[in-house]
Amino acid sequence: MRLLSTIALLLCVSVIEAAQVRIQGVQTLTEEEALGLMGGRLTFIKSRPANDARADDAAFILENLLRARGFAEAKVAWQIQGGDIILLTVREGLPRRIGKIVVEGVEDELATKVKNQFRSAHAVNSRSLEEVPYLETRNEAGLANATQALQADGYWAADVQLASAKPGVEKGRIRVTLKVERGPFFRLALPRVRSGDSRQSAIEQQLTSFAMKPATAPRIRDVRRIVEQYFRNQGYQFATVKMFAEQQEELLALTFEVDPGQLYVINEITVTGTEAVQE
C-alpha cells in the first residue's frame, strides 16, 4: 500500500510540474500549427514546471519564429495561469512581403532567373512563392544565389547587388531593386591535365572538342567527368582529381591536377554456383 501511495504521489507531482503552453491571437496560423512551428524548442520548457523564465523563453522563441515568417513587428506577451499553463498572446502586426522585383542590367530570361533566385532565398518559411516574406537576414543568400545562377550560365564575372528595398505601392509589400553587372560571356579554353606522365596528353586529346564551347556549369561538369572516368578506365579507381579555373579575358581556363594513386588490375576471376556442361 505504501508503494502504491508513493507512485501515485510521484505521478501527481509529475502532472503538476509539467508546463503546458497555449497560444492565442495568431491570425495566420491555428494554435496547433503555431505550436508545431515551435517544435522541439518547447521540449525543455514543457518538461519542467512553469515559471517566469521559461514563459519568457517560450515568448521569445515564438516571437522570433513569427519574425522569420515576415512579421517584423510581431510581439508576444506571456502570463502563467493556474500554476502550470504558459499562455502566449500574440500581436502579429502587418506582415512584410516581397512585392515587385526590378532587375537592372539584364533582361528577359536572365532577369527572370535573378528574380526567382533572390525570391527563393526568402521563401524558406513560405508555403507559396506568391506570398514570400521579406527577410533582411536572407538578402545576402538571395544575392549569392542570383550571382551563382548567372555564373552557371557562363557569366563567371557576374555580380548582383541590392540597389534598394523599400515599401511599394501595395501595403505591406517591399519593392526590391537588384543591380546586375553581368560581365562577359565566357567560353572554355582547351582544358589542361597535369598527371606527371604521358597520360595527360592522351586525355587532353579527348577534351579538344570542348575548346571555345560556352563555359556553363553543366559543360564543366562534363569535362571533369571525362577526366575522372579516363583514369578509372585505366585502372586507377581511386584517382584524386582537383580542378582549378582561371579567367583569361573572356576564356575560362580549366586545369585538372590528377594524382592517379594505386593501379588496380584483375588478378583472378572465380565463378561459383555453376556446373560444367559438356557439349
Side-chain angles (χ1 to χ4, degrees), residues 14 40 44 55 63 66 71-72 150 157-158 167 170 172 176 180 182 188 196 208 229 231 264 269 279:
S14 177
F44 178 82
E63 187 172 290
L66 289 172
F71 294 91
L150 292 177
E170 296 182 73
V176 176
V180 178
R182 185 179 63 181
L188 289 176
T208 55
Q229 191 60 50
F231 283 90
Y264 287 83
I269 299 176
E279 295 183 358

Side-chain angles (χ1 to χ4, degrees), residues 59-253:
F60 177 79
I61 291 169
L62 182 56
E63 187 172 290
N64 278 279
L65 287 171
L66 289 172
R67 290 184 177 186
R69 296 176 67 88
F71 294 91
E73 301 174 355
K75 298 291 183 183
V76 180
W78 60 266
Q79 61 182 131
I80 297 177
Q81 296 183 331
D84 65 341
I85 297 177
I86 298 174
L87 178 64
L88 303 179
T89 302
V90 176
R91 182 172 63 81
E92 290 181 336
L94 186 67
R96 292 200 301 173
R97 308 287 189 195
I98 291 182
K100 184 175 182 179
I101 299 179
V102 177
V103 178
E104 300 176 348
V106 292
E107 299 177 352
D108 303 328
E109 184 178 345
L110 290 180
T112 299
K113 184 168 293 188
V114 168
K115 292 178 187 179
N116 290 342
Q117 291 296 322
F118 183 84
R119 188 185 297 273
S120 66
H122 289 254
V124 288
N125 297 311
S126 179
R127 297 176 179 179
S128 167
L129 287 178
E130 299 301 320
E131 293 295 326
V132 176
Y134 175 73
L135 310 172
E136 289 185 12
T137 56
R138 297 298 299 169
N139 281 344
E140 185 175 346
L143 295 172
N145 288 355
T147 299
Q148 290 168 10
L150 292 177
Q151 291 173 343
D153 275 354
Y155 298 96
W156 291 97
D159 182 55
V160 182
Q161 295 294 328
L162 178 65
S164 66
K166 53 189 179 182
V169 177
E170 296 182 73
K171 190 175 183 180
R173 298 280 178 174
I174 303 299
R175 177 188 171 96
V176 176
T177 301
L178 304 175
K179 185 177 181 180
V180 178
E181 294 291 341
R182 185 179 63 181
F185 180 72
F186 282 80
R187 296 182 179 276
L188 289 176
L190 177 64
R192 296 299 182 184
V193 179
R194 301 288 179 262
S195 62
D197 55 31
S198 60
R199 284 186 296 267
Q200 64 187 41
S201 298
I203 182 60
E204 285 180 353
Q205 286 296 317
Q206 295 186 25
L207 302 176
T208 55
S209 62
F210 287 96
M212 300 309 296
K213 293 290 181 65
T216 60
R219 184 165 281 111
I220 292 172
R221 287 194 293 268
D222 286 342
V223 177
R224 181 175 187 131
R225 178 182 53 78
I226 290 173
V227 174
E228 291 173 340
Q229 191 60 50
Y230 174 85
F231 283 90
R232 291 195 186 101
N233 291 344
Q234 296 295 312
Y236 298 93
Q237 298 301 318
F238 300 100
T240 301
V241 178
K242 295 181 180 179
M243 183 181 76
F244 301 90
E246 180 184 359
Q247 296 179 16
Q248 300 175 351
E249 296 184 354
E250 296 184 8
L251 293 178
L252 190 68

